[in-house]
Amino acid sequence: MPGLLQMRCQLTVQDRPHLALGLEGSANKLGVGVIRHELDGSATVLSNVRHTYITPPGEGFQPRDTALHHRHWALNVINDSLRTAGVSVHALDCICYTKGPGMGAPLQSVALVARTISLLYDKPLIGVNHCIGHIEMGREITGAKNPIVLYVSGGNTQVIAYSRQCYRIFGETLDIAVGNCLDRFARVINLSNDPSPGYNIEQEAKRGKRLVTLPYATKGMDVSLSGILTSVEALAYDKRFRQDGKPKGPEDTDIITPADLCFSLQETVFAMLVEITERAMAHVGSKEVLIVGGVGCNERLQEMMGIMAKERNGQVFATDERFCIDNGIMIAQAGLLAFRCGITTPLAKSTCTQRYRTDQVEVLWRS
Amino acid sequence: MATSIGSSSGPPSHLSPSLVLLQSPTCKPISQGAEARVFKTYLSPPLPTAAAGFNAASPPQVSPILLKHRFKKAYRHEILDTALTKARVAGEARALLKCLRSGVNVPSILMVDAQEGMLGLEWIDGHSVRQLLPGGEEEEDDDPVTADSGEDPLTPYCIDADTITQLIGAQLAKLHKADIVHGDLTTSNMMVRRGRAGTEVVLIDFGLSFTSTLVEDKAVDLYVLERAFASTHPDSEPMFAKVLESYGKGLGQKEWGVVNKRLDEVRLRGRKRSMVG
Amino acid sequence: MDGFLFPHFPAPKSLAQFALFRKVENAAQLRKRIIGAAALAGAKGEEERDAVNFAFIDAKLITSRLHLQTAIHQAILAFTQDSLRTKYVHSEILFYLNPTNNITEALRRYGISDTSTDMIVVRVGDASLPPSNAQELMKDVVIGTIVPFSELEQVTDWGAVKKYHKLNSEAAVRDLKGEEERIAIDRIVTSTVAMKSVMQ
């Protein structure tokens, strides 16, 4: 574009490898990781430890209990992470923590730990946007250069593209996040929260045969999911619904099983997500898709996205549960990138925020 | 008298007629979006003169049609895909008919095959507003308005930029008065053509349109167009102001006041909301 | 003879031949004959049905060549997809012309009446066969004069078209006069026929 100044990448050339500790606790996962940026520009994951707060079936996690969980496990997980990495706190260049978005109480308890370590060992502190963490870790692991990013988790559903120092949100949910939609439905049909409700929905869906009609709500590049949740919940109270998945007798053929509902929910919701991603790809002219966030490790979603990308002569990049699901290493990665551009968070500003949009972050480390 | 008019065998019977139409040699691809491919073709080629009999003296004009094919999406479950495609073809056709009945300039509908995702529309012979207004012609165009001369692209239309923006505003007012929201207003989705009663602006691509009486939806519709103007045409503010002026006139003082106030709000907050993690 | 060629349809349904008849004298007998043919059994019935195997359309309600073409096209399309709402492709043309889904009403309004003097006669047939003597067959049953289709403009009853399509209070035609109004009506009417299969 003429007349516009092309911003340069402000990442400094390293004279030595850098080390960062990342602390994540915006939802029910407490994650700690250590990353090292090598001289050749690559990154090495030295450790990536996670402890998840799992609630009984039918229950979600409450902010207060989740914060308690994080406080209780923080030191164990940090020690574990440092031990695995074989690194002492003294060797670290910076401490990175999740500033937001997320649940207030869990965010605060982890930020408190980060501040304490920072003061104890006199290490600079970096507050990281959780979504940026997902994107940067996904890019690092998969090697995707300039992908359209589909960020799908319990709290977020966004289609993102990078443009001029900013991850711009092209499309997003108009109401609830896709992970939230799946998790809440898992509670309705009493699926286990171990290892995660989303994983159990995915397994259940594999046995589903009947596609029931659910509302399909895309609006341009946005989606709406609450209506679908209402509809699929209603079907769980339908007279054709069999909780045990078995017909009552040989005559009982018109039935809906939990597997059918999981299957239908996934097929409908994922089709919507792939559709808005494709629209963004067509809009920007990109051929790469990167899926990040907890729902991103769903293999059916990856498969559907792969078919779409292939039809456009493109490619889909996805990571497995180690990096898709909330983790500390991604916070370390995004934090260290910012640190190497000269960004740190002074103690007085090391707050948390429940609302923190992806497009509010100035991305100085990309050109 | 003994020769046949059509080909001896006809098209293969296992293919649906709409798909055969796409394979005809006269069918030319025009563009491809995420959801649909657009072609220019003929529904009914002229009869050979020998067969046309006495009518051959004044052969009827054969005009091209625009075919919009919402092709199958392999990633979607087949049942879902078929139902969705059908609903979208139907939705677009209904919106167009509502526009026609409300006096909005849109292409007329010439064929619908919802089963195959096919919509056949009147071919609009002209250029997009994007191509005609300053700055819009930078990208590659198959059909540039001015080949290489420095001629004003508007000359063939006997019209100036002011009149175009005024015509746009008038069409949008009619559209919103009929409670139709376009959903994807850009200067590429408006065509300028020479009609019987002078040059006219025709709104196209109702793929994302919906019916709404809400002021919010109409304001967002205008906001999306404002952003499109700003990103495509340099110094677009006075041009878009003309669009709004004419829109306001068409809508009527009272209604316009309400929409304008909401448009200001939408501008302030943007289209997006803030969010919770 | 005038016709529409649709090369994308299977050969047996790829040609629609038609003619505009004026000064028709035997509309009443013709109607009786069509009704009688449907009830007749055996080889005689077969023969009689073949003789009147056309779509007989009241020309007063047709607004343009494109209007007619669209109705024929959509009717044949329905035939190829096994989704005829009426019994034959010829009656389906009448069904598509009518803006509602009421078949009886479609046949009554768009078919011929005892007093019709202007009618459009259509036969859907095979383009791969040598052009049949469709015109002669039409003349065998209709007593009237075949005129160039362009004479339709003297036939169309715009008032009736507006009434049947409920256009009298619509914004699109309210402020228009003469030629402008007729063009607007023709576009609406043609579009209505084209989208009938997805009408709400």
Side-chain angles (χ1 to χ4, degrees):
Chain A
M1 268 206 172
L4 269 169
L5 209 68
Q6 183 74 46
M7 282 285 283
R8 283 281 183 76
C9 163
Q10 297 189 9
L11 215 53
T12 49
V13 181
Q14 302 182 101
D15 48 2
R16 59 179 175 82
H18 281 73
L19 275 172
L21 177 76
L23 304 170
E24 148 67 24
S26 61
N28 68 334
K29 281 83 149 183
L30 174 68
V32 180
V34 181
I35 202 159
R36 184 168 65 211
H37 281 188
E38 312 288 0
L39 282 173
D40 64 358
S42 67
T44 310
V45 177
L46 297 180
S47 69
N48 183 17
V49 185
R50 179 165 50 215
H51 198 279
T52 308
Y53 171 50
I54 294 172
T55 48
E59 276 179 41
F61 49 93
Q62 301 295 334
R64 193 171 165 274
D65 305 329
T66 313
L68 241 130
H69 165 269
H70 290 359
R71 282 208 287 273
H72 182 256
W73 286 94
L75 291 183
N76 283 338
V77 177
I78 291 169
N79 281 330
D80 203 3
S81 176
L82 289 169
R83 201 179 312 121
T84 314
V87 168
S88 97
V89 187
H90 297 281
L92 296 171
D93 288 285
C94 57
I95 312 293
C96 315
Y97 75 99
T98 311
K99 186 175 176 66
M103 283 183 160
L107 277 173
Q108 276 165 17
S109 51
V110 176
L112 186 74
V113 175
R115 267 180 234 128
T116 311
I117 302 175
S118 161
L119 288 175
L120 272 175
Y121 295 88
D122 192 25
K123 298 286 176 193
L125 206 54
I126 293 132
V128 174
N129 179 302
H130 181 88
C131 316
I132 302 287
H134 272 297
I135 298 171
E136 291 307 341
M137 200 61 214
R139 289 209 311 133
E140 178 59 41
I141 293 292
T142 63
K145 296 259 164 355
N146 186 22
I148 292 284
V149 182
L150 176 68
Y151 172 29
V152 275
S153 67
N156 291 286
T157 304
Q158 301 177 339
V159 180
I160 300 159
Y162 174 79
S163 149
R164 285 186 269 143
Q165 265 62 52
C166 173
Y167 282 109
R168 285 182 54 203
I169 302 172
F170 273 67
E172 62 189 318
T173 178
L174 298 170
D175 35 59
I176 58 173
V178 56
N180 190 240
C181 176
L182 296 173
D183 292 358
R184 277 160 73 176
F185 181 64
R187 265 177 253 158
V188 171
I189 54 170
N190 241 359
L191 285 183
S192 163
N193 288 332
D194 186 16
S196 70
Y199 177 83
N200 291 320
I201 287 208
E202 183 178 356
Q203 303 318 310
E204 192 73 13
K206 286 177 183 164
R207 292 186 285 114
K209 288 182 187 68
R210 177 176 182 173
L211 186 85
V212 298
T213 306
L214 297 173
Y216 187 98
T218 57
K219 205 175 167 191
M221 287 188 221
D222 296 332
V223 292
S224 162
L225 296 162
S226 63
I228 298 174
L229 180 61
T230 311
S231 294
V232 75
E233 275 175 359
L235 282 165
Y237 296 101
D238 193 276
K239 60 180 191 305
R240 292 167 296 174
F241 182 70
R242 305 283 175 271
Q243 176 71 50
D244 59 2
K246 295 190 190 84
K248 281 177 182 165
E251 234 87 302
D252 193 24
T253 49
D254 182 21
I255 63 163
I256 299 169
T257 66
D260 291 337
L261 290 184
C262 291
F263 170 67
S264 307
L265 182 62
Q266 277 198 20
E267 288 300 314
T268 309
V269 168
F270 292 169
M272 287 163 53
L273 295 175
V274 177
E275 181 181 334
I276 60 169
T277 308
E278 180 170 22
R279 210 165 266 164
M281 286 173 81
H283 189 85
V284 181
S286 168
K287 289 200 184 299
E288 292 182 345
V289 202
L290 171 66
I291 314 179
V292 300
V295 182
C297 53
N298 186 301
E299 285 172 2
R300 177 58 184 150
L301 176 61
Q302 293 180 5
E303 180 188 31
M304 287 165 76
M305 197 64 85
I307 297 170
M308 181 275 283
K310 204 171 155 209
E311 279 176 359
R312 304 188 62 85
N313 298 315
Q315 208 181 343
V316 58
F317 297 92
T319 55
D320 59 35
E321 59 84 32
R322 286 173 301 166
F323 304 106
C324 253
I325 294 175
D326 290 351
N327 58 79
I329 198 74
M330 69 184 205
I331 300 301
Q333 166 69 4
L336 190 50
L337 284 171
F339 177 73
R340 287 175 52 204
C341 292
I343 303 169
T344 55
T345 308
L347 186 70
K349 292 201 170 150
S350 64
T351 52
C352 297
T353 168
Q354 299 193 54
R355 288 150 207 265
Y356 190 7
R357 284 179 67 87
T358 317
D359 47 15
Q360 277 173 275
V361 178
E362 202 181 5
V363 182
L364 295 176
W365 52 91
R366 289 187 66 176
S367 54
Chain B
M1 206 50 188
T3 51
S4 64
I5 302 172
S7 67
S8 53
S9 55
S13 55
H14 64 277
L15 272 181
S16 95
S18 295
L19 296 181
V20 175
L21 200 53
L22 292 184
Q23 292 172 1
S24 97
T26 53
C27 190
K28 300 257 180 324
I30 300 297
S31 68
Q32 161 148 23
E35 203 191 340
R37 295 190 186 101
V38 174
F39 303 87
K40 179 183 187 177
T41 190
Y42 296 85
L43 209 51
S44 177
L47 285 180
T49 15
F54 66 85
N55 251 26
S58 55
Q61 261 196 314
V62 175
S63 20
I65 66 164
L66 177 141
L67 268 189
K68 181 170 180 179
H69 182 214
R70 288 178 160 83
F71 47 91
K72 277 196 166 32
K73 292 287 184 188
Y75 67 80
R76 268 197 299 243
H77 190 280
E78 179 129 16
I79 296 174
L80 177 62
D81 189 64
T82 310
L84 209 54
T85 303
K86 250 184 173 169
R88 286 180 175 174
V89 170
E92 186 167 352
R94 284 180 203 136
L96 284 169
L97 186 66
K98 201 170 174 203
C99 283
L100 285 166
R101 294 185 73 107
S102 310
V104 186
N105 286 341
V106 297
S108 44
I109 312 164
L110 298 176
M111 84 92 115
V112 174
D113 181 354
Q115 194 68 41
E116 290 296 337
M118 203 78 75
L119 187 62
L121 302 176
E122 173 192 8
W123 179 261
I124 306 293
D125 208 8
H127 286 96
S128 72
V129 169
R130 180 175 69 78
Q131 289 174 295
L132 295 179
L133 290 183
E137 226 192 329
E138 277 170 16
E139 286 162 61
E140 289 290 309
D141 278 315
D142 296 338
D143 183 20
V145 192
T146 49
D148 50 359
S149 65
E151 197 193 336
D152 185 347
L154 291 169
T155 310
Y157 293 99
C158 315
I159 194 173
D160 55 16
D162 264 13
T163 319
I164 291 190
T165 49
Q166 188 206 318
L167 288 173
I168 294 172
Q171 288 304 314
L172 297 183
K174 282 187 187 178
L175 184 77
H176 285 178
K177 263 182 157 170
D179 291 333
I180 305 161
V181 176
H182 184 281
D184 188 21
L185 286 176
T186 63
T187 47
S188 311
N189 281 341
M190 301 169 179
M191 301 286 290
V192 176
R193 76 163 168 192
R194 304 188 65 164
R196 282 182 41 84
T199 300
E200 55 187 19
V201 165
V202 182
L203 305 182
I204 59 167
D205 196 353
F206 281 71
L208 293 176
S209 69
F210 56 99
T211 301
S212 168
T213 55
L214 298 179
V215 177
E216 166 77 12
D217 290 328
K218 295 173 187 176
V220 169
D221 218 19
L222 294 175
Y223 177 71
V224 167
L225 179 62
E226 184 172 44
R227 298 305 307 251
F229 255 96
S231 63
T232 330
H233 307 288
D235 304 316
S236 65
E237 287 93 351
M239 280 196 279
F240 192 71
K242 283 260 162 48
V243 172
L244 288 186
E245 188 191 315
S246 151
Y247 173 86
K249 231 178 260 167
L251 208 60
Q253 196 61 48
K254 210 178 124 203
E255 303 274 315
W256 166 235
V258 182
V259 176
N260 192 22
K261 188 165 162 260
R262 183 60 69 99
L263 179 59
D264 282 337
E265 286 171 31
V266 176
R267 281 187 188 122
L268 276 180
R269 70 172 151 85
R271 199 166 62 88
K272 309 289 187 186
R273 329 144 298 133
S274 124
M275 73 180 162
V276 194
Chain C
M1 133 148 259
D2 210 347
F4 300 119
L5 186 61
F6 302 116
H8 52 289
F9 285 138
K13 291 280 182 281
S14 57
L15 176 68
Q17 292 176 285
F18 63 91
L20 172 60
F21 280 80
R22 300 204 64 185
K23 297 188 193 127
V24 176
E25 293 163 16
N26 65 333
Q29 290 108 298
L30 197 54
R31 250 171 53 80
K32 225 173 263 152
R33 197 172 163 188
I34 297 166
I35 296 164
L40 220 56
K44 188 90 177 76
E46 207 64 31
E47 199 179 296
E48 189 59 8
R49 276 192 289 277
D50 197 46
V52 294
N53 185 14
F54 301 97
F56 296 95
I57 304 166
D58 190 337
K60 283 203 309 290
L61 296 176
I62 302 302
T63 56
S64 68
R65 196 184 156 87
L66 190 58
H67 181 207
L68 178 69
Q69 179 192 315
T70 307
I72 297 174
H73 182 270
Q74 291 302 112
I76 303 178
L77 183 65
F79 175 87
T80 63
Q81 294 180 333
D82 280 328
S83 55
L84 285 185
R85 296 286 300 272
T86 62
K87 228 169 163 182
Y88 310 102
V89 77
H90 286 142
S91 49
E92 196 75 3
I93 297 172
L94 299 176
F95 174 73
Y96 266 87
L97 285 167
N98 192 41
T100 75
N101 277 325
N102 185 330
I103 294 171
T104 319
E105 183 187 88
L107 301 186
R108 195 180 63 235
R109 281 183 180 174
Y110 287 83
I112 51 168
S113 66
D114 287 352
T115 55
S116 298
T117 55
D118 302 300
M119 60 177 77
I120 295 168
V121 185
V122 184
R123 171 166 275 183
V124 174
D126 198 330
S128 69
L129 299 176
S132 64
N133 46 349
Q135 194 170 315
E136 298 310 312
L137 296 173
M138 288 176 188
K139 280 182 182 162
D140 284 348
V141 290
V142 183
I143 303 170
T145 324
I146 295 186
V147 298
F149 196 78
S150 52
E151 270 194 37
L152 180 72
E153 56 185 58
Q154 299 163 31
V155 176
T156 309
D157 178 353
W158 294 94
V161 173
K162 271 164 82 173
K163 189 178 135 203
Y164 289 157
H165 281 86
K166 299 194 169 67
L167 287 172
N168 280 308
S169 59
E170 283 287 9
V173 291
R174 211 168 36 209
D175 309 321
L176 298 176
K177 287 257 152 12
E179 182 76 2
E180 295 296 321
E181 183 192 22
R182 291 199 286 274
I183 289 174
I185 294 175
D186 179 43
R187 285 161 54 87
I188 294 171
V189 166
T190 304
S191 299
T192 306
V193 171
M195 67 154 298
K196 185 172 171 110
S197 58
V198 293
M199 195 181 64
Q200 238 154 358

